[in-house]
């Protein structure tokens, strides 16, 4: 009897709820905002990759010179060349790590910024549309939804207007 009374008391609240869903994956694919961010990150990654490539070719040249000249060099000159080569390798490794860190930070900042924008747009849509909750339709916990309003296209349009 208690369960029955509980179900009756919850029923009106559930009936008044309005649930929305948004497909974040589709949003990422179709939103020009996401595409601009993705393009900007890719451009930066390409720039850093080109710098690393130049450093790598310089390092390879230095290694080739060392191998060619090692038989003809005195012990002191050979040691100097070897130290120069080691210094160049350390510098290359430092650049590699630094560029990777820079890209990860840029990606995290872009993700945070886009998340803030999406949350803001979803809050506006939720309030204006009278939604009780808006869920990610591709989220692992959402296995089934019926009667939920898909607001993905509306979110894409709102993001692209910003």
């Amino acid at each position: 009897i208690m369960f029955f009374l509980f179900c009756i008391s919850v029923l009106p609240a559930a009936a008044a709820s309005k649930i929305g869903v948004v497909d974040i994956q589709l949003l990422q694919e179709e939103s020009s905002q996401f595409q601009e961010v993705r393009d900007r990150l890719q451009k930066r990654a390409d720039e850093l990759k080109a710098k690393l490539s130049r450093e790598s070719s310089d390092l390879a040249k230095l290694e080739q010179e060392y191998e060619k000249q090692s038989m003809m060099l005195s012990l002191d000159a050979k040691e100097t060349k070897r130290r120069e080569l080691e210094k160049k390798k350390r510098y290359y490794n430092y650049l590699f790590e630094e560029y990777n860190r820079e890209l990860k930070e840029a990606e995290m900042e872009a993700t945070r910024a886009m998340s803030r924008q999406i949350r803001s747009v979803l809050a506006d849509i939720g309030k204006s549309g009278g939604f009780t909750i808006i869920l990610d339709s591709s989220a692992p916990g959402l296995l089934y939804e019926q009667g939920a309003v898909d607001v993905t296209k509306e979110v894409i349009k709102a993001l692209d207007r910003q």
Side-chain angles (χ1 to χ4, degrees), residues 88-147:
K88 193 76 169 169
K89 283 180 183 180
R90 283 192 308 274
Y91 181 68
Y92 175 81
N93 289 333
Y94 164 77
L95 283 180
F96 182 80
E97 294 297 322
E98 186 65 22
Y99 291 168
N100 278 328
R101 184 192 57 75
E102 183 180 329
L103 282 176
K104 285 178 186 177
E105 285 179 5
E107 287 173 4
M108 289 188 324
E109 179 54 37
T111 299
R112 283 192 294 268
M114 286 305 300
S115 292
R116 283 191 298 270
Q117 281 186 304
I118 291 170
R119 274 188 252 121
S120 173
V121 166
L122 285 172
D124 292 344
I125 290 172
K127 288 175 187 170
S128 66
F131 290 96
T132 306
I133 190 170
I134 299 177
L135 303 169
D136 179 359
S137 64
S138 60
L142 184 61
L143 301 176
Y144 176 76
E145 52 87 11
Q146 179 183 0

Side-chain angles (χ1 to χ4, degrees), residues 138-157:
S138 60
L142 184 61
L143 301 176
Y144 176 76
E145 52 87 11
Q146 179 183 0
V149 179
D150 189 343
V151 295
T152 305
K153 295 291 184 187
E154 192 175 343
V155 174
I156 291 170
K157 287 177 188 172

Side-chain angles (χ1 to χ4, degrees), residues 45-59:
D46 292 344
E47 290 170 358
L48 295 177
K49 186 177 178 180
K51 287 180 181 180
L52 272 178
S53 180
R54 285 191 298 274
E55 286 295 324
S56 179
S57 78
D58 289 349
L59 182 59

Side-chain angles (χ1 to χ4, degrees), residues 14-110:
S17 297
K18 185 174 179 183
I19 299 172
V21 292
V22 62
D23 186 342
I24 297 295
Q25 290 175 334
L26 182 64
L27 182 74
Q28 290 174 349
E29 292 169 9
E30 293 189 7
S31 169
S32 63
Q33 283 274 358
F34 268 98
Q35 291 169 4
E36 287 172 16
V37 169
R38 192 176 311 123
D39 291 346
R40 193 170 51 246
L41 288 172
Q42 186 61 51
K43 181 180 176 186
R44 184 64 183 146
D46 292 344
E47 290 170 358
L48 295 177
K49 186 177 178 180
K51 287 180 181 180
L52 272 178
S53 180
R54 285 191 298 274
E55 286 295 324
S56 179
S57 78
D58 289 349
L59 182 59
K61 287 176 189 175
L62 201 57
E63 285 176 332
Q64 286 174 351
E65 285 177 25
Y66 178 74
E67 287 176 19
K68 286 179 185 177
Q69 298 174 356
S70 67
M71 295 297 204
M72 297 179 283
L73 295 173
S74 67
L75 288 177
D76 287 341
K78 190 174 185 178
E79 183 62 22
T80 302
K81 274 282 196 195
R82 188 190 62 74
R83 274 192 239 128
E84 184 182 342
L85 183 60
E86 288 301 317
K87 183 178 177 182
K88 193 76 169 169
K89 283 180 183 180
R90 283 192 308 274
Y91 181 68
Y92 175 81
N93 289 333
Y94 164 77
L95 283 180
F96 182 80
E97 294 297 322
E98 186 65 22
Y99 291 168
N100 278 328
R101 184 192 57 75
E102 183 180 329
L103 282 176
K104 285 178 186 177
E105 285 179 5
E107 287 173 4
M108 289 188 324
E109 179 54 37

